[in-house]
Amino acid sequence: RQWARLETTAITLYTYECRMIPGLLQTEAYARTLFTNQLPLLDDEQIEAQWVARAERQRLLRERPNTAFAFILEEGLFLRRTGGVEVTRGLIDHVLGFAELRNVELQVMPQVQETHAGLDGPMRLLETPENTWFAYCEGQRGGLLIPDLKEISVLQRRYARMRAQALNFENSVGLLQRMRGEL
């Protein structure tokens, strides 16, 4: 929740994800698939509340055009076909739609990659209007907000390396378009 509050005023938000499409980019069908399969199980009311909160957060991408959003997503997230072919097709279309926004940068980390700076898992980096940086890392049962500048520096270097290792924007969009066409 503290991270979500920071997101609402961030001027920069970098996300690397290797487990699931980040909430800011999820479709309703994809998110509901995740919520339905969550353990412990959620009831319908909880699933609805989770989706409403997620959809509200997504408004940031369009309503904060001066915020720089950058996403590095593993190719495998789309190959997994979470929710099935139709959900994946809609998800790719949705992500490609966000990639058309000037304030959104999208890169795909190829499935085959000999060197990879993100093997320690997903991460998010955020810059506040006061130019203070925070990091956030999630695990199985919770997340960790990281205010320590030395730790943030390490994560920033890893993210920078991953940006160099991932496909550039044009190649990332081209890959997603090809993947969508193959569904």
mmCIF file of all heavy atoms in Angstrom, residues 15-43:
data_model
loop_
_atom_site.group_PDB
_atom_site.id
_atom_site.type_symbol
_atom_site.label_atom_id
_atom_site.label_comp_id
_atom_site.label_asym_id
_atom_site.label_seq_id
_atom_site.Cartn_x
_atom_site.Cartn_y
_atom_site.Cartn_z
ATOM 1 N N THR A 15 10.005 -0.865 -13.912
ATOM 2 C CA THR A 15 9.529 -2.170 -13.464
ATOM 3 C C THR A 15 10.188 -3.266 -14.282
ATOM 4 O O THR A 15 10.196 -3.206 -15.513
ATOM 5 C CB THR A 15 7.996 -2.280 -13.636
ATOM 6 O OG1 THR A 15 7.365 -1.249 -12.887
ATOM 7 C CG2 THR A 15 7.479 -3.631 -13.166
ATOM 8 N N TYR A 16 10.723 -4.270 -13.589
ATOM 9 C CA TYR A 16 11.176 -5.496 -14.235
ATOM 10 C C TYR A 16 10.339 -6.625 -13.641
ATOM 11 O O TYR A 16 10.230 -6.746 -12.418
ATOM 12 C CB TYR A 16 12.662 -5.778 -13.999
ATOM 13 C CG TYR A 16 13.004 -7.212 -14.307
ATOM 14 C CD1 TYR A 16 12.920 -7.694 -15.607
ATOM 15 C CD2 TYR A 16 13.345 -8.103 -13.302
ATOM 16 C CE1 TYR A 16 13.184 -9.018 -15.897
ATOM 17 C CE2 TYR A 16 13.615 -9.430 -13.582
ATOM 18 C CZ TYR A 16 13.531 -9.885 -14.876
ATOM 19 O OH TYR A 16 13.781 -11.200 -15.164
ATOM 20 N N GLU A 17 9.748 -7.439 -14.505
ATOM 21 C CA GLU A 17 8.920 -8.532 -14.017
ATOM 22 C C GLU A 17 9.203 -9.810 -14.777
ATOM 23 O O GLU A 17 9.305 -9.808 -16.010
ATOM 24 C CB GLU A 17 7.438 -8.168 -14.137
ATOM 25 C CG GLU A 17 6.507 -9.159 -13.512
ATOM 26 C CD GLU A 17 6.792 -9.440 -12.044
ATOM 27 O OE1 GLU A 17 6.540 -8.579 -11.192
ATOM 28 O OE2 GLU A 17 7.267 -10.565 -11.764
ATOM 29 N N CYS A 18 9.350 -10.891 -14.021
ATOM 30 C CA CYS A 18 9.642 -12.197 -14.604
ATOM 31 C C CYS A 18 8.608 -13.254 -14.221
ATOM 32 O O CYS A 18 8.684 -14.380 -14.697
ATOM 33 C CB CYS A 18 11.033 -12.662 -14.174
ATOM 34 S SG CYS A 18 11.249 -12.728 -12.378
ATOM 35 N N ARG A 19 7.640 -12.907 -13.355
ATOM 36 C CA ARG A 19 6.680 -13.892 -12.877
ATOM 37 C C ARG A 19 5.293 -13.707 -13.484
ATOM 38 O O ARG A 19 4.630 -14.672 -13.810
ATOM 39 C CB ARG A 19 6.535 -13.822 -11.361
ATOM 40 C CG ARG A 19 7.844 -14.046 -10.615
ATOM 41 C CD ARG A 19 7.716 -13.625 -9.175
ATOM 42 N NE ARG A 19 7.173 -12.260 -9.159
ATOM 43 C CZ ARG A 19 6.511 -11.730 -8.161
ATOM 44 N NH1 ARG A 19 6.293 -12.415 -7.070
ATOM 45 N NH2 ARG A 19 6.063 -10.502 -8.219
ATOM 46 N N MET A 20 4.845 -12.460 -13.582
ATOM 47 C CA MET A 20 3.524 -12.157 -14.128
ATOM 48 C C MET A 20 3.550 -10.751 -14.705
ATOM 49 O O MET A 20 4.411 -9.949 -14.363
ATOM 50 C CB MET A 20 2.454 -12.272 -13.052
ATOM 51 C CG MET A 20 2.538 -11.191 -11.996
ATOM 52 S SD MET A 20 1.337 -11.402 -10.705
ATOM 53 C CE MET A 20 2.396 -12.037 -9.422
ATOM 54 N N ILE A 21 2.608 -10.466 -15.577
ATOM 55 C CA ILE A 21 2.497 -9.122 -16.131
ATOM 56 C C ILE A 21 2.226 -8.170 -14.973
ATOM 57 O O ILE A 21 1.369 -8.455 -14.127
ATOM 58 C CB ILE A 21 1.359 -9.057 -17.173
ATOM 59 C CG1 ILE A 21 1.619 -10.028 -18.329
ATOM 60 C CG2 ILE A 21 1.158 -7.631 -17.684
ATOM 61 C CD1 ILE A 21 2.869 -9.755 -19.133
ATOM 62 N N PRO A 22 2.936 -7.038 -14.888
ATOM 63 C CA PRO A 22 2.709 -6.091 -13.783
ATOM 64 C C PRO A 22 1.268 -5.592 -13.758
ATOM 65 O O PRO A 22 0.622 -5.439 -14.805
ATOM 66 C CB PRO A 22 3.676 -4.940 -14.089
ATOM 67 C CG PRO A 22 4.666 -5.486 -15.044
ATOM 68 C CD PRO A 22 3.973 -6.576 -15.802
ATOM 69 N N GLY A 23 0.770 -5.325 -12.560
ATOM 70 C CA GLY A 23 -0.597 -4.877 -12.382
ATOM 71 C C GLY A 23 -0.963 -3.669 -13.227
ATOM 72 O O GLY A 23 -2.091 -3.561 -13.707
ATOM 73 N N LEU A 24 -0.014 -2.757 -13.431
ATOM 74 C CA LEU A 24 -0.294 -1.569 -14.228
ATOM 75 C C LEU A 24 -0.605 -1.898 -15.685
ATOM 76 O O LEU A 24 -1.174 -1.079 -16.400
ATOM 77 C CB LEU A 24 0.879 -0.586 -14.164
ATOM 78 C CG LEU A 24 1.065 0.171 -12.852
ATOM 79 C CD1 LEU A 24 2.347 0.999 -12.878
ATOM 80 C CD2 LEU A 24 -0.132 1.058 -12.562
ATOM 81 N N LEU A 25 -0.239 -3.099 -16.140
ATOM 82 C CA LEU A 25 -0.446 -3.477 -17.542
ATOM 83 C C LEU A 25 -1.453 -4.610 -17.729
ATOM 84 O O LEU A 25 -1.704 -5.031 -18.855
ATOM 85 C CB LEU A 25 0.889 -3.903 -18.170
ATOM 86 C CG LEU A 25 2.001 -2.864 -18.226
ATOM 87 C CD1 LEU A 25 3.278 -3.484 -18.800
ATOM 88 C CD2 LEU A 25 1.581 -1.654 -19.034
ATOM 89 N N GLN A 26 -2.041 -5.110 -16.660
ATOM 90 C CA GLN A 26 -2.922 -6.264 -16.759
ATOM 91 C C GLN A 26 -4.293 -5.916 -17.326
ATOM 92 O O GLN A 26 -4.819 -4.840 -17.076
ATOM 93 C CB GLN A 26 -3.109 -6.904 -15.382
ATOM 94 C CG GLN A 26 -1.863 -7.543 -14.846
ATOM 95 C CD GLN A 26 -2.042 -8.085 -13.436
ATOM 96 O OE1 GLN A 26 -3.131 -8.051 -12.871
ATOM 97 N NE2 GLN A 26 -0.960 -8.586 -12.871
ATOM 98 N N THR A 27 -4.861 -6.860 -18.071
ATOM 99 C CA THR A 27 -6.259 -6.755 -18.477
ATOM 100 C C THR A 27 -7.123 -7.306 -17.348
ATOM 101 O O THR A 27 -6.633 -8.015 -16.455
ATOM 102 C CB THR A 27 -6.553 -7.582 -19.743
ATOM 103 O OG1 THR A 27 -6.287 -8.966 -19.452
ATOM 104 C CG2 THR A 27 -5.738 -7.115 -20.930
ATOM 105 N N GLU A 28 -8.401 -7.018 -17.416
ATOM 106 C CA GLU A 28 -9.315 -7.553 -16.401
ATOM 107 C C GLU A 28 -9.318 -9.083 -16.433
ATOM 108 O O GLU A 28 -9.277 -9.735 -15.387
ATOM 109 C CB GLU A 28 -10.728 -7.006 -16.619
ATOM 110 C CG GLU A 28 -11.703 -7.482 -15.575
ATOM 111 C CD GLU A 28 -13.070 -6.836 -15.692
ATOM 112 O OE1 GLU A 28 -13.269 -5.939 -16.550
ATOM 113 O OE2 GLU A 28 -13.958 -7.232 -14.912
ATOM 114 N N ALA A 29 -9.371 -9.668 -17.623
ATOM 115 C CA ALA A 29 -9.420 -11.130 -17.734
ATOM 116 C C ALA A 29 -8.155 -11.772 -17.164
ATOM 117 O O ALA A 29 -8.218 -12.789 -16.467
ATOM 118 C CB ALA A 29 -9.621 -11.545 -19.191
ATOM 119 N N TYR A 30 -6.998 -11.190 -17.454
ATOM 120 C CA TYR A 30 -5.732 -11.719 -16.941
ATOM 121 C C TYR A 30 -5.698 -11.592 -15.413
ATOM 122 O O TYR A 30 -5.366 -12.554 -14.713
ATOM 123 C CB TYR A 30 -4.567 -10.958 -17.577
ATOM 124 C CG TYR A 30 -3.198 -11.422 -17.145
ATOM 125 C CD1 TYR A 30 -2.553 -12.448 -17.830
ATOM 126 C CD2 TYR A 30 -2.535 -10.824 -16.081
ATOM 127 C CE1 TYR A 30 -1.282 -12.874 -17.448
ATOM 128 C CE2 TYR A 30 -1.271 -11.246 -15.696
ATOM 129 C CZ TYR A 30 -0.653 -12.268 -16.381
ATOM 130 O OH TYR A 30 0.601 -12.689 -15.995
ATOM 131 N N ALA A 31 -6.053 -10.417 -14.901
ATOM 132 C CA ALA A 31 -6.030 -10.191 -13.456
ATOM 133 C C ALA A 31 -6.988 -11.137 -12.748
ATOM 134 O O ALA A 31 -6.650 -11.727 -11.714
ATOM 135 C CB ALA A 31 -6.379 -8.736 -13.141
ATOM 136 N N ARG A 32 -8.178 -11.302 -13.290
ATOM 137 C CA ARG A 32 -9.160 -12.199 -12.655
ATOM 138 C C ARG A 32 -8.663 -13.652 -12.672
ATOM 139 O O ARG A 32 -8.916 -14.409 -11.738
ATOM 140 C CB ARG A 32 -10.520 -12.069 -13.315
ATOM 141 C CG ARG A 32 -11.215 -10.766 -12.942
ATOM 142 C CD ARG A 32 -12.625 -10.680 -13.524
ATOM 143 N NE ARG A 32 -13.234 -9.405 -13.233
ATOM 144 C CZ ARG A 32 -13.851 -9.097 -12.092
ATOM 145 N NH1 ARG A 32 -13.911 -9.987 -11.122
ATOM 146 N NH2 ARG A 32 -14.385 -7.900 -11.922
ATOM 147 N N THR A 33 -7.947 -14.038 -13.715
ATOM 148 C CA THR A 33 -7.346 -15.375 -13.736
ATOM 149 C C THR A 33 -6.357 -15.520 -12.580
ATOM 150 O O THR A 33 -6.358 -16.532 -11.869
ATOM 151 C CB THR A 33 -6.636 -15.637 -15.078
ATOM 152 O OG1 THR A 33 -7.596 -15.585 -16.131
ATOM 153 C CG2 THR A 33 -5.930 -16.982 -15.091
ATOM 154 N N LEU A 34 -5.525 -14.512 -12.376
ATOM 155 C CA LEU A 34 -4.564 -14.552 -11.268
ATOM 156 C C LEU A 34 -5.281 -14.609 -9.929
ATOM 157 O O LEU A 34 -4.927 -15.407 -9.056
ATOM 158 C CB LEU A 34 -3.650 -13.333 -11.310
ATOM 159 C CG LEU A 34 -2.743 -13.180 -12.529
ATOM 160 C CD1 LEU A 34 -1.958 -11.884 -12.434
ATOM 161 C CD2 LEU A 34 -1.812 -14.365 -12.677
ATOM 162 N N PHE A 35 -6.297 -13.757 -9.749
ATOM 163 C CA PHE A 35 -7.017 -13.706 -8.475
ATOM 164 C C PHE A 35 -7.756 -15.016 -8.204
ATOM 165 O O PHE A 35 -7.798 -15.491 -7.073
ATOM 166 C CB PHE A 35 -8.020 -12.548 -8.456
ATOM 167 C CG PHE A 35 -7.413 -11.185 -8.625
ATOM 168 C CD1 PHE A 35 -8.097 -10.185 -9.293
ATOM 169 C CD2 PHE A 35 -6.155 -10.880 -8.121
ATOM 170 C CE1 PHE A 35 -7.559 -8.924 -9.455
ATOM 171 C CE2 PHE A 35 -5.596 -9.622 -8.287
ATOM 172 C CZ PHE A 35 -6.295 -8.641 -8.948
ATOM 173 N N THR A 36 -8.339 -15.609 -9.232
ATOM 174 C CA THR A 36 -9.098 -16.854 -9.079
ATOM 175 C C THR A 36 -8.192 -18.007 -8.667
ATOM 176 O O THR A 36 -8.615 -18.910 -7.946
ATOM 177 C CB THR A 36 -9.825 -17.200 -10.404
ATOM 178 O OG1 THR A 36 -10.700 -16.118 -10.727
ATOM 179 C CG2 THR A 36 -10.618 -18.476 -10.298
ATOM 180 N N ASN A 37 -6.943 -17.971 -9.117
ATOM 181 C CA ASN A 37 -6.007 -19.061 -8.823
ATOM 182 C C ASN A 37 -5.131 -18.790 -7.603
ATOM 183 O O ASN A 37 -4.239 -19.578 -7.301
ATOM 184 C CB ASN A 37 -5.142 -19.331 -10.051
ATOM 185 C CG ASN A 37 -5.946 -19.976 -11.151
ATOM 186 O OD1 ASN A 37 -6.403 -21.098 -11.012
ATOM 187 N ND2 ASN A 37 -6.163 -19.254 -12.233
ATOM 188 N N GLN A 38 -5.364 -17.688 -6.932
ATOM 189 C CA GLN A 38 -4.556 -17.321 -5.766
ATOM 190 C C GLN A 38 -4.858 -18.253 -4.595
ATOM 191 O O GLN A 38 -5.982 -18.695 -4.399
ATOM 192 C CB GLN A 38 -4.877 -15.870 -5.378
ATOM 193 C CG GLN A 38 -3.966 -15.311 -4.322
ATOM 194 C CD GLN A 38 -4.202 -13.815 -4.166
ATOM 195 O OE1 GLN A 38 -4.383 -13.109 -5.137
ATOM 196 N NE2 GLN A 38 -4.186 -13.354 -2.937
ATOM 197 N N LEU A 39 -3.849 -18.560 -3.819
ATOM 198 C CA LEU A 39 -4.010 -19.350 -2.590
ATOM 199 C C LEU A 39 -3.496 -18.536 -1.419
ATOM 200 O O LEU A 39 -2.411 -17.969 -1.513
ATOM 201 C CB LEU A 39 -3.244 -20.668 -2.693
ATOM 202 C CG LEU A 39 -3.774 -21.662 -3.714
ATOM 203 C CD1 LEU A 39 -2.839 -22.848 -3.835
ATOM 204 C CD2 LEU A 39 -5.176 -22.118 -3.372
ATOM 205 N N PRO A 40 -4.201 -18.451 -0.320
ATOM 206 C CA PRO A 40 -5.522 -19.037 -0.122
ATOM 207 C C PRO A 40 -6.543 -18.405 -1.058
ATOM 208 O O PRO A 40 -6.384 -17.290 -1.526
ATOM 209 C CB PRO A 40 -5.848 -18.742 1.341
ATOM 210 C CG PRO A 40 -4.950 -17.613 1.724
ATOM 211 C CD PRO A 40 -3.765 -17.670 0.827
ATOM 212 N N LEU A 41 -7.612 -19.164 -1.316
ATOM 213 C CA LEU A 41 -8.646 -18.749 -2.269
ATOM 214 C C LEU A 41 -9.322 -17.454 -1.835
ATOM 215 O O LEU A 41 -9.510 -17.202 -0.645
ATOM 216 C CB LEU A 41 -9.698 -19.849 -2.402
ATOM 217 C CG LEU A 41 -9.197 -21.168 -3.006
ATOM 218 C CD1 LEU A 41 -10.284 -22.227 -2.911
ATOM 219 C CD2 LEU A 41 -8.742 -20.978 -4.439
ATOM 220 N N LEU A 42 -9.685 -16.638 -2.824
ATOM 221 C CA LEU A 42 -10.432 -15.406 -2.587
ATOM 222 C C LEU A 42 -11.889 -15.633 -2.960
ATOM 223 O O LEU A 42 -12.182 -16.376 -3.898
ATOM 224 C CB LEU A 42 -9.870 -14.268 -3.447
ATOM 225 C CG LEU A 42 -8.393 -13.913 -3.259
ATOM 226 C CD1 LEU A 42 -7.989 -12.847 -4.272
ATOM 227 C CD2 LEU A 42 -8.113 -13.456 -1.856
ATOM 228 N N ASP A 43 -12.790 -14.972 -2.245
ATOM 229 C CA ASP A 43 -14.198 -15.063 -2.645
ATOM 230 C C ASP A 43 -14.472 -14.022 -3.728
ATOM 231 O O ASP A 43 -13.628 -13.196 -4.051
ATOM 232 C CB ASP A 43 -15.147 -14.919 -1.446
ATOM 233 C CG ASP A 43 -15.063 -13.576 -0.747
ATOM 234 O OD1 ASP A 43 -14.799 -12.543 -1.411
ATOM 235 O OD2 ASP A 43 -15.291 -13.535 0.480
#
